[in-house]
Amino acid sequence: EQALAPRPRLILFKLLSNGFLNKIDGCLSTGKEANVYYASSPSGAEYAVKVYKTSILVFKDRDKYVSGEHRWRNGYCKSNPRKMVKVWAEKEMRNYKRLHDAGIPTPKPELLKNHVLVMEFLGSSGWPSPRIRDARLSDRRMREAYVQCALILRHMFLRANLVHGDFSEYNALWHEGRVYVIDVSQSVESDHPSALDFLRKDISNVNDFFKKSGKLQVMSTRQLFEFVTSTVIGSTEAAESEALDRIMAEVDEADEAFRGMTGDDRQRAEHQADVDEAVFMSQFLPRSLNQVNEAELERMAQGEREEDYVKAVAMLTGNKEVVE
């Protein structure tokens, strides 16, 4: 296979010969960027070994996730596939470490050798835990998973200062009654120029899955975005739970009102919801004060800018009165 070129095979052989691993057995998943294999150590510890592919075609569209991050401000080699993959693997290792240190459910990274990443295996007896799209969750579990996904996105943004960048039902595992986030190689710093655009897309992906597959009444993209990014909501479990309960009560109230509508009223309400969603997804939200010029500040002062834009600027300046 492309992933098991001579160099990664040599790295795996060294891990076996030095006793870090005693067995590599079976492919857990395959993808465009990497394959993941099951492995174990002499002590019985189980690992997932991610071997990145070195094809330039796979990584040619990944520059947007690296450019703009201060961690790579000195640049990286775009013309050398092997060096690009090494940067990508190092980026994922750092992101996993940051998430794990922040207490966010994710596989614990153990070792990185060039473009071979060894991390904690999530599963049992060699069988990997399912992605949430394949987990066949009950209605109650589906609601729990939705809340957990909302909290993961919030904790990534506020605790770890990261935005996943590709969060969906494909990159979340259901393991021992909890959602675990995986595949964080593309995750960016929360001050990345495109961080809020990536976050809106992540939130849209989560809502789409739980609305269509889970048959849940979900928050709007705007509501979940504000929950994820809000610095007004306390960081304690109780404060976050209270905020979620309040938002979901608003969702239930709106749904009840919608169910009471008939004919043209319902059609107009659906159209307005679609328009609001499209407007929010397309709005420019500044991620640094460098993106806000004096003319924009004047427009805000005169009430000529959208509420979401004003809130984004207020978050940057720490103006909690506006955020509230």
Side-chain angles (χ1 to χ4, degrees):
E1 292 182 50
Q2 186 182 13
L4 286 180
R7 187 180 293 267
R9 281 205 303 267
L10 178 60
I11 294 171
L12 295 176
F13 177 76
K14 287 181 178 179
L15 292 176
L16 289 167
S17 61
N18 66 19
F20 183 83
L21 300 176
N22 72 337
K23 182 174 67 173
I24 300 175
D25 183 22
C27 185
L28 299 174
S29 67
T30 60
K32 293 185 298 182
E33 297 175 354
N35 290 349
V36 182
Y37 300 89
Y38 173 80
S40 60
S41 72
S43 66
E46 295 180 298
Y47 297 112
V49 180
K50 188 168 186 176
V51 181
Y52 298 83
K53 299 176 182 179
T54 56
S55 170
I56 185 66
L57 297 176
V58 172
F59 291 91
K60 66 180 181 179
D61 63 339
R62 292 308 197 181
D63 183 62
K64 62 183 178 181
Y65 294 105
V66 179
S67 298
E69 277 213 59
H70 71 83
R71 291 184 291 180
W72 316 109
R73 58 189 177 275
N74 295 324
Y76 62 100
C77 185
K78 300 179 184 180
S79 60
N80 187 318
R82 186 170 289 112
K83 288 184 178 180
M84 286 181 66
V85 174
K86 187 177 179 181
V87 167
W88 203 246
E90 181 182 346
K91 190 169 186 284
E92 182 151 39
M93 177 72 167
R94 290 188 183 186
N95 288 341
Y96 269 131
K97 279 187 173 180
R98 188 182 293 189
L99 294 180
H100 190 265
D101 291 344
I104 296 166
T106 195
K108 180 182 178 182
E110 298 288 350
L111 178 71
L112 176 65
K113 292 289 186 181
N114 288 313
H115 47 279
V116 174
L117 173 61
V118 180
M119 53 190 162
E120 176 188 8
F121 172 72
L122 298 179
S124 178
S125 302
W127 293 96
S129 296
R131 294 181 174 93
I132 57 173
R133 72 181 297 270
D134 302 318
R136 298 183 180 179
L137 302 178
S138 65
D139 291 345
R140 181 176 67 84
R141 287 296 197 183
M142 191 67 80
R143 286 191 292 271
E144 291 177 1
Y146 179 59
V147 169
Q148 289 180 32
C149 285
L151 290 171
I152 283 173
L153 291 173
R154 175 176 169 82
H155 295 161
M156 284 187 69
F157 189 79
L158 295 179
R159 292 183 187 175
N161 296 318
L162 287 174
V163 171
H164 190 283
D166 191 26
F167 195 69
S168 71
E169 66 272 23
Y170 295 93
N171 293 329
L173 301 181
W174 184 256
H175 178 67
E176 296 181 349
R178 298 180 71 189
V179 174
Y180 280 70
V181 60
I182 60 170
D183 293 342
V184 295
S185 53
Q186 73 291 319
S187 299
V188 299
E189 299 269 357
S190 58
D191 61 358
H192 185 282
S194 299
L196 296 184
D197 295 329
F198 294 149
L199 178 59
R200 280 187 291 196
K201 182 59 178 174
D202 287 349
I203 289 171
S204 179
N205 290 341
V206 169
N207 277 345
D208 286 347
F209 170 73
F210 284 99
K211 184 176 182 179
K212 294 176 182 177
S213 299
K215 310 298 182 184
L216 298 182
Q217 291 299 324
V218 299
M219 293 174 262
S220 67
T221 302
R222 183 197 302 267
Q223 286 173 315
L224 184 47
F225 180 89
E226 291 179 351
F227 170 75
V228 169
T229 59
S230 175
T231 55
V232 176
I233 299 171
S235 59
T236 65
E237 182 178 345
E240 290 175 336
S241 179
E242 181 182 348
L244 277 174
D245 288 344
R246 184 173 61 253
I247 297 170
M248 291 309 299
E250 294 174 3
V251 171
D252 291 340
E253 183 179 340
D255 180 61
E256 185 176 346
F258 178 76
R259 290 176 183 275
M261 297 178 185
T262 56
D264 292 343
D265 288 342
R266 174 173 290 197
Q267 191 174 13
R268 279 193 293 269
E270 287 180 337
H271 176 70
Q272 187 60 51
D274 291 340
V275 169
D276 291 344
E277 182 82 359
V279 168
F280 178 71
M281 291 298 292
S282 64
Q283 279 180 357
F284 168 69
L285 299 178
R287 197 65 206 110
S288 73
L289 291 177
N290 292 331
Q291 296 175 310
V292 184
N293 56 33
E294 291 185 7
E296 289 295 297
L297 294 174
E298 182 65 24
R299 290 192 188 99
M300 285 189 290
Q302 295 175 2
E304 297 177 0
R305 289 303 262 139
E306 297 90 344
E307 179 185 1
D308 300 296
Y309 185 95
V310 175
K311 284 188 175 182
V313 175
M315 285 170 56
L316 296 174
T317 58
N319 190 335
K320 291 190 175 183
E321 290 184 3
V322 173
V323 177
E324 290 174 336

